[in-house]
Amino acid sequence: MTTDDAIRLHTLKSVQLYLDLMRAQRWDEWIDLWADDAILKFPYAPEGRQGVFKGKEAILTYMSGTTGKISVDSVADLQIYPMLDPEAATVELEINGRLLLDDTPYNQRYITIFQFKGGKIQHYREY
């Protein structure tokens, strides 16, 4: 296995672990996948909502704040695509669930782009 193949395999396994830990809301383990200076971006965040989180602390605070707000009933059509850059991957998935505050359906389709550096998530964008 070439170095690029080994890096790509690690990237793809880390993406799957990211998804598994997020679904289980195991935030203390999930945040260990991130680089200290990582950036999480939501380029299409609604007006008035923060769209960029910098650093592990800000990312963890934001994501752990979603606990108890959304119930995920299923994840469908999960596709993980490797890229030419062995430290990058794109994920496509559909989340079906509900907002716990008022039982509103929460059914979203996402595309996310992961960029790793040294085996840790450096940059994450969600569309």
Side-chain angles (χ1 to χ4, degrees):
M1 184 179 300
T2 68
T3 302
D4 278 356
D5 290 340
I7 293 169
R8 187 172 289 108
L9 181 61
H10 180 302
T11 296
L12 297 175
K13 285 182 177 182
S14 295
V15 167
Q16 184 62 59
L17 181 58
Y18 169 99
L19 295 167
D20 294 342
L21 293 172
M22 184 175 69
R23 203 171 318 159
Q25 297 183 350
R26 291 168 42 192
W27 303 120
D28 290 340
E29 296 168 75
W30 177 87
I31 198 63
D32 286 339
L33 298 171
W34 293 80
D36 290 338
D37 60 347
I39 298 172
L40 180 148
K41 287 186 180 180
F42 300 108
Y44 296 106
E47 189 173 327
R49 286 190 64 191
Q50 187 173 347
V52 178
F53 298 86
K54 295 181 179 181
K56 285 172 75 167
E57 183 178 336
I59 292 167
L60 179 59
T61 298
Y62 170 75
M63 290 301 292
S64 62
T66 65
T67 301
K69 294 181 180 178
I70 298 173
S71 173
V72 175
D73 300 324
S74 67
V75 175
D77 298 327
L78 174 63
Q79 299 290 324
I80 301 174
Y81 302 102
M83 299 176 80
L84 289 176
D85 178 346
E87 290 191 298
T90 299
V91 176
E92 183 177 4
L93 67 133
E94 183 177 319
I95 293 177
N96 298 296
R98 57 192 163 74
L99 300 178
L100 296 176
L101 178 66
D102 58 5
D103 208 36
T104 301
Y106 182 85
N107 303 317
Q108 300 290 328
R109 189 152 191 83
Y110 295 97
I111 292 178
T112 58
I113 300 170
F114 289 83
Q115 181 66 51
F116 285 76
K117 183 177 178 184
K120 299 284 187 176
I121 300 168
Q122 181 66 49
H123 197 235
Y124 172 98
R125 289 182 311 280
E126 182 177 287
Y127 298 92

